[in-house]
Amino acid sequence: MTTQNKGVAIVSEAVCEAIVGRPEAFTAVENIFAAMAKNDACNFPVVREAIGHADALYGFKSGFDRAGQVLGVKSGGYWPGNAANGLTNHQSTVILFDPDTGKLKALVGGNYLTAVRTAASSAVSIAHLARKDAKVLGMVGAGHQSTFQLRAAVEQRNFEKVVAWNPHPEYLPRLQAVCEELGLPFEAVSRETLGAQADVIITITSAFEPLLKKDWIKPGTHIACMGTDTKGKQEVDPQLLVAATVFTDETEQSVTIGEAQHAVGNGSLSPSDITPIGEVINASHPGRRSDDEITLFDGTGVGLQDLAVASAAAELAIAQNKADWTEL
């Protein structure tokens, strides 16, 4: 980040939305996954707790990117009642520090950035693992995050159709509207039909039970499981992970709070069977080995993703004179 003697940079949600797009988020996330795989960046232990008020989950994700010289923490969580008040259920702020001195450098709005970094994560997995000839994108989930996922995904392959399922079908029109804007045919289908048709599937729900069964998935499919980020959550059949080649953002989170927690927990999958996607980015792992191979990305969401996109936002805001400044 550009060094200036103006105090602490404040980068608002509005500024983040104006200056950080999908390309910037994709590059930041891809680079941090690569740095993690080289042990040039480290996530610190996650704190995530139910606070006993407003049914909220609150926590901290922190880390240090030695390669990019980014140090900080994302603080926030999930307030399920916010939507009724016109607010985003996920609320967060990213705090960046100078790694040389520990001095506070920037406060960056984290709500929009959380959405675009999560979408960038699945997009990176599609870019590196999906078949080049993938034509049908399947979306499981139609909540707030789903439109970010959809927009990022369609930029990675020449999709010709989008099929979708949601436990509450009344939310599917939000995905249909995006498809109409992008000129892509859209169809609401059953889960079984989605599995039979889709070449790439993104799951982005808050489910605590498997929504997709192994037998529904056709050979060659790439699946990005993006909703499971807490102990007990689950989106797919554990046997699907056994049948697939599994990749993740961080193995430790994958086996404890990610989609792999269930297959590892019942002994059908070993942590050693899971590959950090950074190894594919760095070309130390081949990634997809055949057109019939099922690949699965367990996107648990790591603090370094947040720090990477927040640092990019701060850099851009300062360079474009869009940051506010304060002294503590």
Side-chain angles (χ1 to χ4, degrees):
M1 188 185 303
T2 303
T3 300
Q4 299 202 18
N5 297 318
K6 294 183 177 180
V8 180
I10 309 294
V11 186
S12 69
E13 288 285 344
V15 169
C16 287
E17 290 193 43
I19 63 177
V20 179
R22 288 185 295 277
E24 292 81 9
F26 184 99
T27 298
V29 169
E30 185 178 50
N31 286 345
I32 201 63
F33 286 163
M36 288 168 60
K38 291 179 179 178
N39 293 319
D40 285 338
C42 178
N43 291 289
F44 303 149
V46 175
V47 175
R48 186 173 173 89
E49 299 290 342
I51 66 173
H53 177 75
D55 293 326
L57 288 172
Y58 176 71
F60 302 91
K61 288 184 175 181
S62 184
F64 176 47
D65 174 12
R66 187 178 299 102
Q69 287 294 291
V70 180
L71 174 69
V73 58
K74 173 186 174 182
S75 175
Y78 184 77
W79 275 256
N82 276 5
N85 298 316
L87 299 172
T88 302
N89 288 346
H90 289 90
Q91 293 288 325
S92 62
T93 303
V94 180
I95 308 164
L96 299 175
F97 300 91
D98 183 336
D100 292 324
T101 66
K103 187 177 183 294
L104 178 63
K105 294 176 69 171
L107 299 176
V108 185
N111 296 347
Y112 166 77
L113 294 182
T114 297
V116 294
R117 69 83 154 149
T118 305
S121 180
S122 62
V124 167
S125 82
I126 294 168
H128 289 278
L129 296 171
R131 293 196 333 266
K132 300 298 183 184
D133 62 349
K135 298 300 183 186
V136 179
L137 173 63
M139 296 293 303
V140 176
H144 172 75
Q145 178 66 38
S146 66
T147 57
F148 289 89
Q149 294 284 334
L150 174 58
R151 290 180 185 279
V154 298
E155 295 175 347
Q156 307 310 317
R157 293 292 185 270
N158 294 319
F159 292 111
E160 298 175 352
K161 180 182 180 181
V162 175
V163 293
W165 177 88
N166 192 59
H168 301 285
E170 64 271 21
Y171 291 110
L172 288 171
R174 65 173 27 137
L175 291 175
Q176 183 174 5
V178 173
C179 288
E180 289 174 354
E181 175 191 330
L182 298 173
L184 276 171
F186 174 87
E187 186 179 358
V189 298
S190 68
R191 289 174 286 171
E192 295 92 329
T193 299
L194 186 148
Q197 292 189 12
D199 302 304
V200 172
I201 300 172
I202 298 174
T203 63
I204 184 67
T205 73
S206 56
F208 282 80
E209 60 182 355
L211 302 175
L212 292 178
K213 294 184 179 180
K214 178 180 76 69
D215 293 343
W216 299 345
I217 307 302
K218 66 180 183 180
T221 302
H222 173 64
I223 307 161
C225 296
M226 305 304 299
T228 300
D229 58 0
T230 303
K231 196 166 185 62
K233 277 189 174 183
Q234 184 178 16
E235 294 190 294
V236 304
D237 178 2
Q239 287 304 305
L240 180 53
L241 279 81
V242 177
T245 304
V246 181
F247 301 85
T248 191
D249 41 22
E250 184 180 74
T251 302
E252 183 177 353
Q253 283 198 181
S254 175
V255 303
T256 55
I257 63 172
E259 194 63 41
Q261 64 181 282
H262 305 285
V264 171
N266 67 25
S268 58
L269 187 74
S270 168
S272 62
D273 295 326
I274 303 170
T275 302
I277 195 169
E279 293 188 13
V280 182
I281 298 168
N282 293 334
S284 58
H285 187 287
R288 172 177 292 277
R289 293 183 172 92
S290 74
D291 286 346
D292 288 337
E293 183 179 18
I294 296 173
T295 55
L296 186 146
F297 175 67
D298 187 4
T300 66
V302 295
L304 284 170
Q305 290 173 254
D306 299 292
L307 302 185
V309 294
S311 180
E315 289 272 10
L316 290 168
I318 291 169
Q320 298 175 24
N321 294 316
K322 292 182 178 179
D324 294 320
W325 297 89
T326 189
E327 292 280 359
L328 293 184

